[in-house]
Amino acid sequence: MLDSTNILGSEEWCRLDDMSIPAIKARVDSGAKTSSIQASKVKIFTKGLEDWVRFEVNPIQDNRSISILCQAKLFDVRSVKSSLGISEERPVIKTPVTIGGNTFEIELTLANRDTMEYRMLLGREAISARYLVDPSKSFCQGDISSDEITKKYRPYMNEKSGLTLGLLASNPELYSNKRIIEAGEMRGHKVVFLNVENAYMKLDASSPEIRYRGGNILDKFDAVIPRIKPAVTFYGCALLRQFDTLGVYCLNSADSISKSRDKLFASQLFSKHDIHIPITGFAKSPMDTKDLIRMVNGSPLIIKLLESTQGKGVVLAETNKAAESVINAFKSVQTNILVQEFIKEANGQDIRCFVVNGKVVASMQRQAQKGEFRANIHQGGAASKIKITPEERKLAVKSAKVLNLDVAGVDIIRSNRGPLLLEVNSSPGLEGIENTTGMDIANVMIETIERKLKYHN
C-alpha cells in the first residue's frame, strides 16, 4: 500500500547536492520522458580523458541575481525538438536528486528554461516505479517558505559594493527592465529604477542638478542605462544630456537616441554611409503622391509613420490606388510618413541583430503570422535562432556605429540584392531575443558599462 512518501504533487522541491543547489522547485510532468534543468553558459570541456560540461543555474525563478556555477561529467548529447519545432543539441548529465527523504540518481538535460515558470522539470523516467503523481496536490514531499529559501541561498548573494547604476525608463515591471536590474545586482552593483517623468532638472552653469520626486538630488550615479519609450523621447533625451553634463556615462547618448528615433534623418545617414536600405521616399505635398509611388517601384509598398515603433504605424498598401488613399489620408492630418518598397521575396521574415559595444551578441529570425507582413514579436511574429552571414553581421555593426549607439536592435531583411537595413532601435527589448537564443544579453550590457568605466571587481 502507498503511503505519503510515495506520492508527488504537480510541483515539488528538489535538492541537488552534487551541484550545490540546496533547493529548486520542479514541475512534475509524467508526459515528459526526460528531466531537465535551466542552464546557461553551457560549455563542454575535457577533464583527463573524459568529457565534462560546465554551466550556470539560476535556481530561483524571477531572481537571476542568484547564480550557481556547476560542472558534471557529460553523459550524453541528445537532439531535442522545441515547441517551435526547432531541433537543438542538448547535453545530458547524471546526478543524484533528493526529494523529501529519498535520494536517487536521475538523468538531467541541460536546457534553456528561462521562459518556463519552473527551473526544473521531473520527467517520467525519474519518477517511474518510485512515485505516483497526484496533480491536484502540490509539495507532497514538503514545502519550503520564502524565508527558508532566502536562508539557504544567502551564501550565494553578492554584496552590493560595485557601481551605482540608474535605469532611466517608465515601467519597472517590463521584462527588459527587470532583467537589467537583476544582471546589475548579480554583478554586485546597485541598480536604481528612475522613472523618466519623476525626474526634473536645474539648469545652472555653476551647479547643474537632476532631482527626483520629493527633492532628492541624483548625484551618486556612475552610469545611466536609458530605456526611453517613444512618447517621452524629447524629455528623456533632455535628462540624458543633463546626466552627461554631470559627468555620468550614458549607455546610448541623447544624440544617438534622437537620431535613431527620427526615421527620415536615420535613413539619410544610412544612405550617406553606403548602408543599403529598401528604396524610400518622402514628400510634403499630396501633389507628389503618384510620383512618390512610382519612385519606390509602385505597389505593393510600405507606408510608415516617422514615429512608429514595434510595427505600429506601419501599413502595407497592396495597390497603387490603396497607396494613394493611405498617403493622402496621412497627409491630410499633417502626419509625416515614409513610403518604402515592399521586399516580396523576404516572405514576411526579418532578422533582429542585437549589437552591444560594436559586436553582434545575438541574432534571431522573426516570421510574420499568416496574413501579416510585420514580423515584430509585438505583432504576433514567431522567433527562431539564426546564424547570420558575415555580410549581415557587418551591416548590423556598421548601422549601430553610424548612429553611435552602444546598444542597438538592428533589423535586417534578406532581398534578391543582398541584406537591406530596415531600421535601428535604440531601446531594443530583451525578452524575445533572450528567450530565443538563450543569451544573457542584460549581463553583456552591464559588462559593457564596466569596460567603459574601467571597473574591476
Side-chain angles (χ1 to χ4, degrees):
M1 178 159 175
L2 288 167
D3 58 31
S4 61
T5 60
N6 301 109
I7 304 290
L8 295 182
S10 61
E11 52 187 340
E12 295 290 347
W13 286 102
C14 301
R15 193 174 82 235
L16 301 165
D17 289 336
D18 282 13
M19 293 157 64
S20 300
I21 296 174
I24 184 168
K25 193 191 293 183
R27 170 80 172 156
V28 179
D29 185 359
S30 57
K33 184 183 177 185
T34 317
S35 302
S36 63
I37 191 168
Q38 176 274 337
S40 61
K41 300 182 183 176
V42 178
K43 188 170 181 62
I44 295 172
F45 65 99
T46 304
K47 192 173 178 181
L49 298 174
E50 297 175 323
D51 284 335
W52 281 60
V53 61
R54 184 183 295 115
F55 53 97
E56 284 186 16
V57 175
N58 301 114
I60 307 301
Q61 183 70 20
D62 294 329
N63 188 350
R64 295 208 204 187
S65 65
I66 296 172
S67 181
I68 298 177
L69 182 63
C70 308
Q71 60 179 32
K73 192 187 294 186
L74 183 67
F75 175 68
D76 196 6
V77 175
R78 292 178 191 153
S79 182
V80 178
K81 193 171 280 191
S82 73
S83 57
L84 293 172
I86 302 164
S87 293
E88 61 178 353
E89 301 289 304
R90 289 183 186 166
V92 181
I93 64 170
K94 279 189 172 183
T95 189
V97 62
T98 300
I99 305 173
N102 298 324
T103 302
F104 50 93
E105 191 174 63
I106 61 169
E107 291 180 14
L108 269 184
T109 303
L110 305 184
N112 175 18
R113 294 185 55 82
D114 281 351
T115 56
M116 306 298 179
E117 186 182 351
Y118 297 86
R119 314 307 268 170
M120 184 173 167
L121 183 144
L122 269 177
R124 63 176 177 271
E125 281 186 343
I127 59 181
S128 179
R130 292 189 176 99
Y131 298 100
L132 285 181
V133 179
D134 184 346
S136 68
K137 296 180 180 176
S138 291
F139 309 118
C140 295
Q141 300 300 314
D143 200 357
I144 302 177
S145 70
S146 56
D147 287 345
E148 288 177 288
I149 286 292
T150 300
K151 191 174 177 182
K152 287 176 184 291
Y153 280 104
R154 190 160 285 130
Y156 300 96
M157 294 178 184
N158 288 327
E159 290 296 317
K160 307 292 185 293
S161 59
L163 301 168
T164 300
L165 309 177
L167 178 61
L168 190 65
S170 297
N171 183 357
E173 296 306 312
L174 283 182
Y175 175 95
S176 300
N177 296 337
K178 286 164 78 172
R179 281 288 298 110
I180 290 167
I181 291 170
E182 287 171 1
E185 290 177 346
M186 183 175 169
R187 296 185 68 83
H189 307 304
K190 180 181 179 183
V191 188
V192 180
F193 183 87
L194 301 172
N195 190 313
V196 174
E197 295 173 57
N198 290 349
Y200 52 101
M201 295 167 275
K202 173 189 172 189
L203 308 178
D204 177 72
S206 57
S207 58
E209 289 177 351
I210 298 179
R211 296 195 178 203
Y212 204 64
R213 182 163 290 173
N216 295 315
I217 298 174
L218 304 181
D219 59 354
K220 298 284 191 293
F221 290 95
D222 299 295
V224 166
I225 304 162
R227 303 284 307 174
I228 300 167
K229 64 182 182 182
V232 293
T233 299
F234 177 80
Y235 190 66
C237 286
L239 284 170
L240 288 175
R241 285 191 293 272
Q242 190 79 346
F243 274 115
D244 182 63
T245 298
L246 296 170
V248 178
Y249 168 68
C250 300
L251 186 68
N252 282 353
S253 67
D255 182 54
S256 61
I257 291 171
S258 297
K259 285 177 185 173
S260 72
R261 294 276 164 90
D262 184 339
K263 286 187 168 55
L264 177 59
F265 184 29
S267 297
Q268 290 174 315
L269 283 172
F270 298 143
S271 296
K272 180 180 178 182
H273 289 87
D274 197 32
I275 291 172
H276 295 278
I277 62 175
I279 299 167
T280 302
F282 178 77
K284 186 70 179 165
S285 168
M287 302 293 289
D288 303 312
T289 299
K290 280 187 168 62
D291 193 44
L292 195 65
I293 292 168
R294 281 194 295 271
M295 195 169 72
V296 299
N297 295 331
S299 61
L301 55 81
I302 304 291
I303 300 158
K304 286 183 179 179
L305 289 177
L306 282 187
E307 296 82 21
S308 66
T309 182
Q310 296 177 350
K312 296 170 188 170
V314 182
V315 177
L316 172 65
E318 299 198 27
T319 66
N320 284 6
K321 195 173 176 79
E324 282 184 50
S325 299
V326 174
I327 292 167
N328 291 336
F330 276 134
K331 289 191 177 302
S332 70
V333 291
Q334 303 296 304
T335 301
N336 286 318
I337 57 166
L338 291 178
V339 177
Q340 203 167 67
E341 71 170 319
F342 178 62
I343 309 298
K344 188 179 179 182
E345 62 268 22
N347 293 318
Q349 293 178 340
D350 71 11
I351 297 167
R352 162 60 62 93
C353 298
F354 209 103
V355 180
V356 182
N357 199 26
K359 291 181 181 175
V360 176
V361 297
S363 304
M364 66 177 174
Q365 182 171 274
R366 302 181 296 192
Q367 174 68 58
Q369 281 185 325
K370 194 171 182 181
E372 172 62 73
F373 70 96
R374 295 166 295 182
N376 307 64
I377 304 298
H378 290 86
Q379 300 299 328
S384 58
K385 219 169 164 180
I386 188 173
K387 186 177 173 69
I388 59 172
T389 66
E391 192 180 3
E392 289 161 350
R393 186 177 299 275
K394 187 177 175 183
L395 175 62
V397 169
K398 187 176 180 182
S399 304
K401 189 175 181 183
V402 162
L403 296 176
N404 199 28
L405 289 166
D406 286 330
V407 174
V410 181
D411 295 339
I412 293 170
I413 196 166
R414 288 174 171 171
S415 78
N416 291 336
R417 58 183 188 270
L420 302 174
L421 175 67
L422 287 179
E423 66 176 300
V424 179
N425 190 320
S426 58
S427 293
L430 302 185
E431 186 170 11
I433 199 152
E434 283 198 340
N435 291 339
T436 301
T437 65
M439 282 288 298
D440 189 348
I441 294 173
N443 186 66
V444 176
M445 291 169 67
I446 303 298
E447 285 180 330
T448 297
I449 293 171
E450 292 173 354
R451 278 197 291 272
K452 295 280 186 181
L453 298 181
K454 296 181 169 57
Y455 169 83
H456 301 287
N457 199 346

